[in-house]
Amino acid sequence: MSAVSDRLPTFPWDKLEPYKKTASAHPDGIVDLSVGTPVDPVPELIQKALIDAADSPGYPTVWGTPALRDAITGWVERRLGARDVTHRHVLPIVGSKELVAWLPTQLGLGPGDRVAYPRLAYPTYEVGARLARADHEVYDDPTELDPRGLKLLWLNSPSNPTGKVLSKSELTRIVAWARSHGVLVFSDECYLELGWDADPVSVLHPDVNGGSYEGIVAVHSLSKRSNLAGYRAAFLAGDPDVLGPLLQIRKHGGMMTSAPTQAAVVAALGDDEHVRVQRDRYAARRDALRTALESHGFRIEHSEASLYLWATKGESCWTTVSALADLGILVAPGDFYGEAGAQHVRVAFTATDERVRAAVQRLT
């Protein structure tokens, strides 16, 4: 076991514990804006679907029920503008984090193979490469990478942590470059429904991929858009020549979404109203926190989408974390997401309305 754990970096969130203790000592309690975990209720129609499917004594399938696959293909076409999506083009997964962590291993990557991801990025991209013993590197523009030995290219738009969105023209250029060099593209689009100052586009859109899914797979999650982080519900859509082998591997590994969760996902993907309601909640919290942070001397960069404000005062991120902890506010230091974040903090607007109001009062 130690041989595996030794490949991994220190779990970053452990470093935040002393600051969490400081923030928790505030007389009015902590305002935790460090982790983007949903706090609002799971919509009733989704809860009902879960409850109605609770009597599920048999094993679920890895590929999911036909109803689930229908729901995914329908949503991908309706929401993302994808065309001619069949069941072969989709695959349910047990939340997106397990996929990110284990994808390089499931693709058969190893020493000498390279995995690339954005310079500022979700730490699990690196973890996945390390678990597979593959090489890993960061990029500013992926088309400037050496394509030799590059087996997996991660895109992330909208970005975690920055909220940056890749334009349709940028995505088109990157997909074309990757295809010309035989590089597999996985596009993490888990925040696509949460565009504020931009309208995020999927790699599945025909204007990006030319009507072909060759060499591209999109990753989508219901954690944020439907408050289903506790359900572990996500899916892949894209190249069937990639998803077919992954399905077989995941069958052997028993990577099955529970039957009640599958039923809940069908309900969630079939309803757009609850997503609109949740977006409105987040929009109000975002506006309040952004105004308060700017009045406190912060500069907000990017942040045109996702559930975070990427904020800086031009000082060490840990100095900022410490100062905010003294106000009872906990945020994530930018260097959790790469060295380029050393002077930024990531501020989530997933706290309750009451806690967001408390943060605003402390900042202004």
Side-chain angles (χ1 to χ4, degrees), residues 15-29:
K15 301 177 187 176
L16 207 54
E17 282 302 313
Y19 302 93
K20 185 175 184 178
K21 183 178 293 186
T22 297
S24 298
H26 189 280
D28 187 37

Side-chain angles (χ1 to χ4, degrees), residues 109-325:
L109 305 189
D113 297 324
R114 292 165 50 232
V115 176
Y117 47 86
R119 186 171 302 280
L120 283 165
Y122 185 45
T124 312
Y125 302 135
E126 176 184 342
V127 167
R130 287 176 175 270
L131 286 170
R133 294 194 178 94
D135 296 328
H136 54 89
E137 60 189 281
V138 299
Y139 65 78
D140 294 307
D141 179 345
T143 66
E144 296 176 356
L145 292 167
D146 182 349
R148 292 173 295 181
L150 181 59
K151 297 298 178 65
L152 175 60
L153 174 64
W154 279 108
L155 304 182
N156 180 209
S157 175
S159 162
N160 174 16
T162 69
K164 182 179 179 181
V165 173
L166 295 174
S167 69
K168 185 182 292 185
S169 61
E170 288 176 301
L171 288 171
T172 302
R173 177 177 61 86
I174 293 166
V175 167
W177 176 86
R179 282 176 169 167
S180 71
H181 294 289
V183 176
L184 176 61
V185 173
F186 264 68
S187 180
D188 182 345
E189 302 175 355
C190 290
Y191 295 92
L192 186 138
E193 299 254 50
L194 298 164
W196 311 111
D197 303 323
D199 187 13
V201 179
S202 172
V203 294
L204 302 181
H205 195 286
D207 289 353
V208 172
N209 60 44
S212 167
Y213 302 114
E214 177 187 358
I216 56 172
V217 176
V219 184
H220 283 270
S221 167
L222 286 87
S223 293
K224 316 300 189 195
R225 64 168 322 258
S226 299
N227 299 336
L228 295 189
Y231 284 45
R232 310 315 302 133
F235 61 87
L236 307 178
D239 191 341
D241 290 336
V242 176
L243 299 187
L246 280 179
L247 171 59
Q248 297 307 314
I249 292 166
R250 293 171 70 82
K251 283 181 178 179
H252 284 289
M255 293 181 167
M256 302 172 283
T257 304
S258 76
T261 295
Q262 292 187 30
V265 171
V266 172
L269 293 179
D271 178 74
D272 295 329
E273 177 61 16
H274 78 276
V275 180
R276 185 196 65 78
V277 169
Q278 190 60 45
R279 276 181 53 87
D280 288 348
R281 291 186 184 121
Y282 285 141
R285 294 166 186 165
R286 175 180 184 269
D287 289 347
L289 282 170
R290 180 169 194 145
T291 300
L293 287 166
E294 288 176 337
S295 73
H296 199 72
F298 283 94
R299 184 174 73 252
I300 307 300
E301 297 182 353
H302 304 302
S303 306
E304 57 258 35
S306 83
L307 287 177
Y308 312 106
L309 294 168
W310 189 238
T312 182
K313 279 191 168 182
E315 63 189 11
S316 164
C317 60
W318 289 101
T319 299
T320 305
V321 167
S322 179
L324 289 175

